[in-house]
Amino acid sequence: MLILDRIGKIYPNGVNALERFSAEIRLGEIVAVIGGSGCGKSTLLRAIAGLDRATSGSVTLDDVTISAPHAEIGVIFQEPRLLPWLSVADNIGFGLSDLPAEVRREKVARALARVGLTDKADAWPRELSGGQAQRVAIARALVPQPEVLLLDEPFSALDAFTRRDLQDHLLDLWADTRPTLVLVTHDVDEAVVLADRVLVMRPRPGRLFAEITINLARPRDRNSPLFANFKRRVLTALDRSLDRSEPDRDAKSTTGEAMWW
Amino acid sequence: MAGSSPAMTDLESSRRSIRRLAISIGKRLAMAMTVDLPALERTESVESPAPAGRLRRYARPALGLLLPVGLALIWEFIVWRGWSNGRLLPPPTRVFATIVELGRSGELTRHIAATLSRMAAGFGLGVIAGTLLGAISGYWALARRLLDPTVQALRAIPSLAWVPLFILWLGIFETSKVALIAVGVFFPVYLGVMGAILSVDRKIVEVGRIFRLSGPAMIRRILLPAVLPAYVVALRVGLGLGWMFVVAAELMGASEGLGYLLLDGQQLGKPAHILAAIVIFAILGKATDWLIEIASAPFLRWQDAFRQIGAT
């Protein structure tokens, strides 16, 4: 269980990026965080990853407070961020350096086969297409079998076709070990295809605005009326999140806030 | 109104994602233009049929030889026809004969050995100092604030201005020469190392953090490989400056060395000697540069740009 307890982040320049964000995410759940630009969704993800410390609140994973990168939390960024001086296979095995070479080789080979890049094992990252590189990044993050996988707009730099392909592929990989996925996105379609639950955020300061449970069976048909219905609900919530007069989902009137409004 | 607003958001979000895509494509293009271009050229030459590829592999360097060899032949011909006596600019054959003659008497070996040993000592010291200080100021912001302004100020001094001081401090013999060469090598190496460390991609460092690399592991597995290409370039620039300063040092007063050969040729009116020394400088400079390139090639195979330089 990943517990986000009233996470807040104020940057040194005074920007209030995130305020009192709370959520409980079950093991194996897929949660999409969506919101307009500047709503603090990336800030939230970096706080969960332990890359940047939140200024208030806490992240707990199975009763362990996260304040630095944790072995059970993997991250996939918007860019593949492969190490250009390592072959594809060595990139995938990057997080396995503690294991004996043979075990590592075997795991890497299995991961390569799983993402369909066995023939690229000895290629350099720069020889890969964008989609292939992102698949290597997914394999690199998944091969140590983390309990939680964080994805920061992982497919937004890809073309529409590759994006769909990778979304399906991600679900397929997720089914292997069923880690918790927390996905930050600005793509409504992506959120509804992947997530069990969509958290809509509102910007300035970034806050949780609405929560929409997507109880559709997988695999989901992107063209079904039910799918369209969920998409519309998320879109409506997104729309309303930009409207200042709407109250927050869990607005509490504290003295400080009373002064704000 | 209520029905149209989600559609508008949809439109807006898709517009935004298109813009993002365009930005990312733009970034890729920029990257391709700065880094990938040699790679493109390379794959093209690899994929071309073997005979054409071979032709290209030999023809391209040959093209570069065309101009100097042509000029040499023309000059040789002019002197041979007696249109010029070639006293101040001896023809290539006479320069070559001088080199052979110097080589036979054993004098050439002595001069080359003297120059090379000075160069090796100066280059070695300069590289060690430049690497250490460059790494320190690249890695620790505090050290950079403390150290860098002074180093930059020293860099602004033309290195030859140090000569009188070095001679006063270290004497007229080897030590002052080695010091001068080391000073020349130090600055490009220092700047190169510091710049390389400062420009290591924060995003790649973050990958190291995600996999919880310890400090030393971060240096070994992320920083060193990331810095290496720029370091090799810095070494090569340093080497070039080192050769420049070895000549300066030897012109300043030496009893042996290629620079002495230059000065000797001038004072005794033997232009063939001067040209012989110049040719040997060119050969040594190119050879040492090539050594660095060869030594670093296995570590930079991932970087196509370096393979391209190696191939031509």
Side-chain angles (χ1 to χ4, degrees):
Chain A
M1 180 92 112
L2 181 67
I3 299 171
L4 316 178
D5 186 20
R6 286 163 294 171
I7 301 176
K9 174 85 182 178
I10 300 170
Y11 281 106
N13 60 5
V15 172
N16 195 353
L18 193 61
E19 205 174 74
R20 276 205 339 254
F21 188 101
S22 296
E24 292 189 357
I25 299 168
R26 294 187 309 277
L27 178 64
E29 198 181 3
I30 304 182
V31 170
V33 179
I34 197 166
S37 55
C39 72
K41 49 195 198 299
S42 287
T43 307
L44 174 71
L45 204 75
R46 292 179 65 83
I48 305 175
L51 283 171
D52 291 336
R53 262 184 194 227
T55 25
S56 60
S58 65
V59 181
T60 6
L61 175 65
D62 302 335
D63 304 324
V64 180
T65 307
I66 305 295
S67 56
H70 189 272
E72 288 297 337
I73 301 179
V75 182
I76 294 170
F77 298 99
Q78 186 177 351
E79 328 79 21
R81 300 199 186 180
L82 304 180
L83 306 177
W85 51 85
L86 294 181
S87 69
V88 165
D90 287 342
N91 260 295
I92 293 180
F94 189 78
L96 301 175
S97 49
D98 298 339
L99 297 178
E102 236 166 80
V103 182
R104 188 169 63 225
R105 211 170 307 135
E106 196 209 327
K107 285 195 171 207
V108 168
R110 218 181 308 143
L112 271 169
R114 198 70 188 78
V115 294
L117 289 171
T118 303
D119 54 326
K120 297 280 184 191
D122 297 322
W124 300 113
R126 64 186 310 158
E127 292 167 312
L128 303 177
S129 69
Q132 287 171 334
Q134 196 59 299
R135 265 193 276 170
V136 174
I138 294 174
R140 176 177 67 183
L142 279 175
V143 90
Q145 299 187 341
E147 196 181 310
V148 177
L149 186 62
L150 308 173
L151 302 100
D152 189 2
E153 303 191 15
F155 310 130
S156 61
L158 304 172
D159 61 89
F161 178 77
T162 315
R163 192 184 313 159
R164 277 194 174 196
D165 183 42
L166 277 187
Q167 285 163 358
D168 295 342
H169 195 64
L170 178 71
L171 279 179
D172 194 27
L173 292 173
W174 168 78
D176 286 351
T177 54
R178 296 199 166 237
T180 307
L181 297 190
V182 180
L183 168 93
V184 158
T185 182
H186 58 260
D187 181 349
V188 176
D189 206 67
E190 183 167 285
V192 178
V193 161
L194 296 175
D196 297 312
R197 196 147 51 111
V198 178
L199 306 180
V200 180
M201 290 182 75
R202 85 183 307 177
R204 277 172 293 270
R207 281 192 180 191
L208 183 58
F209 177 72
E211 183 179 322
I212 296 158
T213 307
I214 315 276
N215 44 2
L216 274 176
R218 293 196 183 87
R220 290 171 182 167
D221 177 7
R222 288 181 173 86
N223 301 316
S224 73
L226 267 175
F227 187 89
N229 189 38
F230 276 113
K231 252 178 86 171
R232 193 157 49 239
R233 280 178 60 189
V234 174
L235 274 169
T236 313
L238 262 177
D239 223 32
R240 281 175 43 215
S241 78
L242 298 172
D243 182 0
R244 282 258 153 212
S245 57
E246 288 281 340
D248 279 347
R249 173 177 158 274
D250 50 2
K252 295 169 197 152
S253 61
T254 59
T255 41
E257 217 166 63
M259 278 163 67
W260 251 110
W261 297 109
Chain B
M1 199 56 199
S4 72
S5 63
M8 260 174 60
T9 322
D10 199 9
L11 192 74
E12 198 187 306
S13 86
S14 70
R15 219 180 261 161
R16 205 174 290 148
S17 69
I18 286 170
R19 207 182 54 207
R20 260 168 195 282
L21 196 69
I23 290 170
S24 85
I25 287 171
K27 272 189 198 152
R28 292 240 173 106
L29 266 179
M31 235 167 71
M33 279 159 85
T34 54
V35 191
D36 283 2
L37 216 59
L40 290 175
E41 257 178 66
R42 192 181 60 83
T43 46
E44 177 200 323
S45 72
V46 164
E47 275 166 15
S48 59
R54 200 177 304 149
L55 183 76
R56 206 180 275 181
R57 197 198 295 164
Y58 293 112
R60 242 191 248 168
L63 216 61
L65 284 176
L66 210 61
L67 188 66
V69 169
L71 285 176
L73 283 179
I74 289 170
W75 186 241
E76 186 75 46
F77 180 75
I78 288 172
V79 176
W80 176 67
R81 286 297 301 261
W83 293 337
S84 161
N85 59 15
R87 205 172 54 79
L88 284 179
L89 182 54
T93 44
R94 213 180 299 160
V95 174
F96 185 69
T98 312
I99 293 175
V100 170
E101 178 202 321
L102 283 169
R104 225 174 253 153
S105 68
E107 226 180 313
L108 192 64
T109 336
R110 188 166 61 89
H111 291 312
I112 290 179
T115 299
L116 273 182
S117 64
R118 272 168 203 148
M119 182 65 191
F123 182 70
L125 285 174
V127 165
I128 291 170
T131 308
L132 278 179
L133 289 183
I136 289 170
S137 12
Y139 204 78
W140 286 292
L142 183 68
R144 183 165 59 252
R145 288 204 189 104
L146 209 69
L147 203 67
D148 196 49
T150 312
V151 175
Q152 298 294 347
L154 288 176
R155 192 172 72 98
I157 302 169
S159 301
L160 291 182
W162 292 109
V163 169
L165 204 58
F166 282 166
I167 290 177
L168 270 183
W169 284 350
L170 305 168
I172 190 81
F173 301 110
E174 291 306 296
T175 325
S176 59
K177 293 184 177 59
V178 169
L180 184 65
I181 297 165
V183 165
V185 173
F186 170 81
F187 289 108
V189 173
Y190 169 85
L191 283 178
V193 171
M194 187 181 73
I197 292 178
L198 285 179
S199 63
V200 168
D201 192 353
R202 191 186 57 85
K203 291 179 170 175
I204 294 261
V205 175
E206 226 159 52
V207 172
R209 286 183 59 203
I210 286 293
F211 287 106
R212 294 169 306 126
L213 297 187
S214 61
M218 185 74 103
I219 291 175
R220 187 172 54 84
R221 298 181 66 189
I222 305 267
L223 286 183
L224 279 186
V227 159
L228 196 63
Y231 186 54
V232 171
V233 172
L235 285 185
R236 292 172 72 173
V237 174
L239 187 76
L241 277 173
W243 280 112
M244 201 165 109
F245 282 97
V246 83
V247 176
E250 289 181 345
L251 284 178
M252 231 67 79
S255 54
E256 54 184 6
L258 289 167
Y260 164 77
L261 203 61
L262 285 173
L263 204 63
D264 194 46
Q266 181 216 325
Q267 281 164 353
L268 299 179
K270 288 194 283 193
H273 271 64
I274 299 176
L275 280 175
I278 286 175
V279 167
I280 290 166
F281 267 128
I283 293 171
L284 286 180
K286 181 69 198 155
T288 44
D289 186 62
W290 182 73
L291 277 180
I292 293 183
E293 202 186 302
I294 293 292
S296 61
F299 304 105
L300 296 178
R301 261 192 312 132
W302 57 275
Q303 240 205 354
D304 292 309
F306 277 80
R307 250 193 273 173
Q308 181 67 16
I309 292 168
T312 45

